[in-house]
Amino acid sequence: MRRVKAGFSRFLDRPATVDISRYEELLTSIEWREKKVGDLSDEELTEAAAKLRRGADEPGFDDKDLIELCSLGREAAKRALDERPYDVQLLGTMQLLHGHVVQMATGEGKTLAGALAAAGYALQGHAVHVMSVNDYLAQRDAAWMGPVYELLGVTVGWVSQTSSQEERRAAYAADVTYGSVSEIGFDVLRDRLCTSVDDMVGREPDVVIVDEADSVLIDEAKVPLVLAGSSDEGKADPEVAQIVRALKPGQHYEKDEDGRNAWLTTRGAKAVEKALGGVDLYSGEHSDRLAAVNAALHAHALLERDVDYIVRDGKVHLINSSRGRIALRQRWPDGLQAAVEAKERLRPTESGEVLDSISVQGLIGRYRTVCGMTGTAVAVAEQLREFYELRVAVIPPNTPCVREDESDRLYDTVEHKEAAIVREIAEVHKTGRPILIGTRDVAESERLAKLLADADVECVVLNAKNDAQEAAIVAEAGAYDAVTVSTQMAGRGTDIRLGGKKKSDDASEHDKVADLGGLLVIGTGHYQSSRLDDQLRGRAGRQGDPGGSIMFASLGDDQVIQYAPDATAGAEPDDDEDMGRLADPTTKRYVDHAQKVSEGVQLEIHRNTWRYTRLIEHQRKVLLEYRDELLTTDLAATSLASQSEKRWKKLSDELDEKVMEESARQIMLYHLDQRWTEHLAFLADVRETIHLRALAKETPIDEFHRTAIPEFRKIQDEISERSVETFDSMEIGPDGVDLTSGKLRRPSATWTYMIHDNPFDTDAEQALQQVRAMIKKVRGGSRR
């Protein structure tokens, strides 16, 4: 208990965090009550938990209820999992039940703390969703914690990409539902397209507990969830891909410093026009060719195989940049997707149109209560408050961390850095100490694996190409003699035990690795934020185990080149055996500065994404309320009967009243969904050109609102007009209306788009970048 008290005093002065000291007093009462609970049979324990049940509209748990829940939960975990929750885990549970984001170090038992909180909310009468970063963790945690829930009389389910419609409906009907943020989000989007209440799988959002909260709420929030419907086969242009493939950087095209935009130079435009038979790309007649060239150039110059995507089984698979995993059933918008497929000489896949989208903020904002847990929340505490109105509760570790984090090892070039990494790994590997290497992309992991093979060091590579085995691979990263190369900390959420999971019951294996210093984590370069670096370091030093970490960096790393291009000025390597190593503190500050700039850029992208999508989320909410009325009431029938009175009366004399109502409903739902799709396309076009207004001294976000609001106000009237026109012109028989006969077919299949929603990526920004490049050249010439 004294250790927990000391932990409180250390963490109370953290910025943007809550004071958790008063809950210390409850721990003694929980321990006293635990002794009584231990005498209950399983049935009596379940009955005791049932006494906590109440309606969702009743007040939440008071201190007495918290004591009872935690003591029952602790006993349930002991019986079901043979694990007695630590005091700090119960503190985490109580903070989750108060709607906070809980920071608990890796290996401290967040999964169990979250399960007890989910059970607590369920017993309060709430429907609970537990969101994770991927399907594997959702399925694993639901199954793992299932016996605990059962003893507490709480039902649990889970959804994944392979779940059927009926399995989804059953999972969402449970007290607690586990699922990845994307899968739950896509179920929300798919439910919005249902034309019958019976086809919907979800229910009203209530409570959400977000696992790996910083990853989901901050990192994933930059990529909206977008649902698209199939239409025709994609149209790639192999001729354009072939032409662009021959273009040379610096001569035919240039890229901006951020690597987000590419454009043809005058020489490049002439070369492309000549290759296309002397066309004028910038004439209205050839605007489609210009669009194809721009998409092909983007695919060729800005998207890198094995970094942004991989090719497997003849198809392009996108890589989620924040997790380093394949983004299943995701693709880029059609022009770019087709361009990448043409670049890789693959058969084009189907094209389609965006049916709906939702941002992570919009998805989370639907819930009445939001809380979460992660190992690195304090670093994004201000963002959690700004975007979600959440506060952070820092839970001290059960056992103090003794991991040794070395200072950065900085080198002049990438080649010297990687040579040093291989030397370090080879030297440590001789001792049998396990090593986990965190790389930033697939290409780097495979390059490093080859270098290790050349040095006779056998390793296991975990990246987006074999992510299905990630948990099993990462779980063994702490085994004696193991060398594991992992992309973007893949396998996060998987416990790494010293000695390996397979031998977790063998204390001698644990001690053998502990005596060697525990798991050594090596970073091959800094991530976009120091928080991600900390996540990688946190894989070592679990539950007071020994461990260590070393971060390598070089002046040739992309992040340094992009955000601190002056870092190389005056940098001189030390003249010793460690070739290319830099010790100059000024140079180290440049590297740190590059990461801080990167953090600022990511925050501004997130902030701007939310500024634009907030209005769209509001408009979506308004339209969905109208859609729900059409779906669940006779509003559609009333509307069409009043606007097309003569035809309604004629058909009503011939057909069942119910047939008429359903026909009216289907017609109006179709036109509402179609009109919303058109509105999203219109807003996307506005976003692409809105920054041109900045050149005229207008505020882009204000201009976006001035354009988007009047356009939205037209929608409901246009839905009615189109519906009346369809109703008056289409055949309606005893079986209702056949929309497909009138070319009003809904998409036969859906998929998701991966869009990095960055309002800075615009034609205007490209023009400004070109001007900056010209100024640089002029200045360079005048100096000479």
Side-chain angles (χ1 to χ4, degrees):
M1 191 66 68
R2 284 195 298 272
R3 181 170 63 247
V4 174
K5 285 183 179 179
F8 288 148
S9 64
R10 287 199 306 274
F11 291 111
L12 288 182
D13 59 351
R14 294 287 184 92
T17 59
V18 296
D19 181 359
I20 64 173
S21 57
R22 91 168 185 85
Y23 296 95
E24 174 194 16
E25 300 171 7
L26 301 184
L27 294 174
T28 302
S29 299
I30 291 170
E31 192 166 348
W32 176 85
R33 175 60 180 150
E34 179 187 0
K35 296 173 183 176
K36 301 283 186 181
V37 170
D39 295 331
L40 300 177
S41 66
D42 287 357
E43 292 76 13
E44 290 170 334
L45 191 153
T46 304
E47 290 173 5
K51 293 177 182 178
L52 290 172
R53 280 206 177 265
R54 61 191 62 184
D57 55 344
E58 296 180 54
F61 284 177
D62 56 20
D63 285 357
K64 181 181 177 183
D65 293 327
L66 285 176
I67 292 169
E68 184 71 357
L69 172 69
C70 288
S71 60
L72 292 171
R74 176 176 267 173
E75 184 62 27
K78 282 166 58 179
R79 297 183 188 186
L81 307 177
D82 195 24
E83 294 181 16
R84 180 182 181 272
Y86 303 120
D87 284 352
V88 292
Q89 286 176 284
L90 299 184
L91 288 172
T93 294
M94 289 187 275
Q95 290 307 304
L96 288 168
L97 286 167
H98 280 79
H100 299 312
V101 172
V102 168
Q103 174 167 301
M104 296 175 69
T106 300
E108 290 291 312
K110 292 186 289 293
T111 303
L112 180 53
L116 296 183
Y121 277 119
L123 291 171
Q124 290 180 24
H126 296 290
V128 186
H129 289 172
V130 181
M131 282 188 187
S132 64
V133 294
N134 60 47
D135 284 352
Y136 165 76
L137 291 177
Q139 183 177 352
R140 183 203 69 178
D141 293 350
W144 182 15
M145 296 293 118
V148 177
Y149 286 119
E150 185 177 359
L151 277 174
L152 295 174
V154 173
T155 58
V156 62
W158 55 270
V159 293
S160 74
Q161 294 183 61
T162 60
S163 299
S164 68
Q165 195 82 342
E166 286 307 312
E167 288 170 336
R168 291 175 192 276
R169 193 172 290 111
Y172 286 116
D175 295 326
V176 178
T177 307
Y178 283 75
S180 68
V181 59
S182 56
E183 203 56 37
I184 290 176
F186 290 132
D187 277 337
V188 168
L189 293 177
R190 285 186 282 259
D191 270 0
R192 290 174 175 177
L193 294 175
C194 288
T195 56
S196 169
V197 174
D198 294 339
D199 293 334
M200 301 175 73
V201 299
R203 54 176 171 168
E204 282 297 306
D206 191 354
V207 174
V208 62
I209 300 175
V210 186
D211 193 11
E212 307 292 0
D214 56 335
S215 180
V216 171
L217 301 181
I218 304 301
D219 300 333
E220 300 287 314
K222 296 193 289 286
V223 184
L225 304 174
V226 181
L227 190 69
S230 62
S231 54
D232 304 317
E233 186 179 83
K235 296 179 180 178
D237 196 329
E239 181 186 13
V240 170
Q242 181 73 18
I243 293 169
V244 169
R245 199 175 284 121
L247 299 181
K248 297 179 180 178
Q251 295 182 30
H252 299 112
Y253 66 88
E254 291 185 358
K255 297 186 291 186
D256 62 21
E257 294 177 356
D258 291 344
R260 291 196 178 97
N261 299 292
W263 58 90
L264 292 173
T265 62
T266 302
R267 181 178 175 182
K270 288 180 179 178
V272 172
E273 288 174 336
K274 182 179 179 181
L276 289 173
V279 304
D280 179 1
L281 279 177
Y282 298 96
S283 68
E285 180 185 357
H286 298 291
S287 60
D288 57 336
R289 273 297 175 92
L290 178 60
V293 169
N294 285 336
L297 183 60
H298 188 112
H300 174 74
L302 303 178
L303 297 177
E304 186 177 344
R305 183 169 175 168
D306 289 340
V307 175
D308 301 293
Y309 65 94
I310 66 171
V311 176
R312 179 194 287 170
D313 301 327
K315 293 182 180 179
V316 169
H317 297 271
L318 279 61
I319 295 175
N320 184 308
S321 61
S322 66
R323 299 204 303 268
R325 299 183 179 93
I326 290 176
L328 297 177
R329 292 197 300 180
Q330 290 195 345
R331 53 183 286 153
W332 287 292
D334 291 319
L336 183 55
Q337 182 77 19
V340 175
E341 289 164 348
K343 169 189 173 183
E344 298 293 344
R345 298 180 174 88
L346 301 173
R347 181 179 176 180
T349 52
E350 284 185 318
S351 65
E353 60 184 355
V354 172
L355 303 176
D356 201 358
S357 70
I358 189 170
S359 65
V360 171
Q361 282 101 326
L363 177 65
I364 297 299
R366 300 168 66 251
Y367 293 89
R368 296 185 183 92
T369 302
V370 179
C371 57
M373 48 199 178
T374 181
T376 47
V378 169
V380 290
E382 293 301 333
Q383 293 181 56
L384 291 171
R385 179 180 287 181
E386 176 181 350
F387 297 122
Y388 303 98
E389 298 182 356
L390 291 171
R391 299 186 69 194
V392 173
V394 180
I395 307 298
N398 182 58
T399 306
C401 180
V402 296
R403 184 184 66 246
E404 296 181 2
D405 298 324
E406 290 191 27
S407 299
D408 285 5
R409 297 188 189 179
L410 180 60
Y411 292 81
D412 57 351
T413 67
V414 172
E415 291 74 19
H416 285 156
K417 177 190 73 172
E418 292 184 344
I421 291 172
V422 171
R423 286 197 302 272
E424 179 69 19
I425 293 171
E427 193 64 29
V428 173
H429 181 57
K430 291 176 183 176
T431 69
R433 184 182 186 184
I435 308 168
L436 174 66
I437 304 103
T439 65
R440 291 160 298 172
D441 55 56
V442 177
E444 186 178 42
S445 69
E446 296 192 337
R447 186 171 66 248
L448 185 60
K450 185 177 184 305
L451 291 172
L452 288 172
D454 293 341
D456 294 325
V457 176
E458 185 178 343
C459 68
V460 177
V461 181
L462 176 64
N463 56 38
K465 290 188 175 181
N466 61 352
D467 56 314
Q469 297 86 31
E470 72 172 37
I473 294 173
V474 170
E476 293 303 317
Y480 179 81
D481 212 36
V483 178
T484 309
V485 179
S486 170
T487 301
Q488 290 278 46
M489 297 162 296
R492 189 177 174 201
T494 303
D495 206 10
I496 301 178
R497 301 188 180 189
L498 298 190
K501 185 177 181 180
K502 293 177 182 176
K503 299 182 179 179
S504 58
D505 294 331
D506 189 341
S508 64
E509 285 294 318
H510 173 281
D511 294 345
K512 180 166 68 172
V513 173
D515 291 342
L516 294 172
L519 177 67
L520 175 63
V521 168
I522 292 178
T524 61
H526 288 293
Y527 290 104
Q528 292 179 337
S529 76
S530 57
R531 173 174 53 88
L532 299 180
D533 292 347
D534 291 341
Q535 289 173 4
L536 177 60
R537 289 191 182 96
R539 303 312 298 265
R542 167 192 174 273
Q543 282 289 334
D545 282 338
S549 73
I550 310 171
M551 296 298 294
F552 287 78
S554 85
L555 301 184
D557 290 349
D558 291 342
Q559 186 162 270
V560 178
I561 293 173
Q562 188 172 343
Y563 296 119
D566 298 328
T568 56
E572 292 292 336
D574 290 353
D575 187 17
D576 57 22
E577 294 180 1
D578 198 355
M579 188 176 295
R581 186 166 181 180
L582 303 169
D584 177 33
T586 302
T587 308
K588 174 63 169 65
R589 283 196 291 271
Y590 273 117
V591 176
D592 292 341
H593 172 73
Q595 188 175 57
K596 286 183 172 62
V597 173
S598 175
E599 290 173 335
V601 168
Q602 298 306 313
L603 173 57
E604 199 57 26
I605 290 174
H606 188 175
R607 191 171 281 144
N608 273 277
T609 297
W610 184 228
R611 285 171 185 157
Y612 282 91
T613 57
R614 188 158 44 189
L615 174 65
I616 301 174
E617 297 294 349
H618 173 71
Q619 292 181 343
R620 176 184 288 104
K621 182 180 178 183
V622 171
L623 198 64
L624 280 174
E625 289 174 355
Y626 179 48
R627 192 183 196 281
D628 285 344
E629 278 194 85
L630 293 175
L631 188 64
T632 59
T633 71
D634 63 355
L635 177 61
T638 303
S639 177
L640 288 183
S642 63
Q643 294 182 77
S644 186
E645 188 174 351
K646 186 175 180 180
R647 178 163 169 78
W648 184 271
K649 186 176 186 309
K650 178 179 181 300
L651 289 173
S652 296
D653 292 339
E654 303 171 1
L655 302 171
D656 188 317
E657 204 50 33
K658 291 183 179 179
V659 169
M660 293 292 292
E661 285 183 8
E662 186 59 27
S663 297
R665 179 178 294 114
Q666 294 304 317
I667 289 171
M668 291 201 72
L669 286 175
Y670 173 85
H671 286 298
L672 182 148
D673 293 338
Q674 184 60 35
R675 189 62 187 85
W676 177 246
T677 294
E678 293 169 3
H679 186 63
L680 288 177
F682 169 79
L683 295 180
D685 289 340
V686 172
R687 282 284 299 277
E688 288 179 6
T689 58
I690 200 68
H691 281 258
L692 291 172
R693 319 263 178 127
L695 302 178
K697 306 301 182 185
E698 302 286 353
T699 304
I701 187 65
D702 290 342
E703 284 301 300
F704 180 77
H705 283 193
R706 289 191 191 104
T707 307
I709 292 172
E711 185 69 18
F712 179 75
R713 287 174 179 161
K714 303 175 188 175
I715 290 181
Q716 196 160 326
D717 288 340
E718 291 182 4
I719 292 169
S720 295
E721 292 168 7
R722 294 183 186 185
S723 297
V724 170
E725 184 179 336
T726 298
F727 179 72
D728 287 343
S729 62
M730 292 195 68
E731 281 293 323
I732 300 178
D735 295 326
V737 62
D738 181 9
L739 293 178
T740 59
S741 66
K743 297 182 180 179
L744 302 180
R745 183 182 291 108
R746 288 180 175 273
S748 58
T750 60
W751 60 71
T752 63
Y753 277 151
M754 176 176 281
I755 302 176
H756 290 271
D757 197 17
N758 181 3
F760 298 130
D761 290 353
T762 65
D763 292 339
E765 182 66 8
Q766 290 187 26
L768 290 172
Q769 291 287 0
Q770 292 181 63
V771 170
R772 290 171 186 153
M774 289 172 61
I775 292 172
K776 265 188 178 179
K777 290 179 181 177
V778 170
R779 286 176 176 170
S782 63
R783 290 193 186 102
R784 288 193 292 272

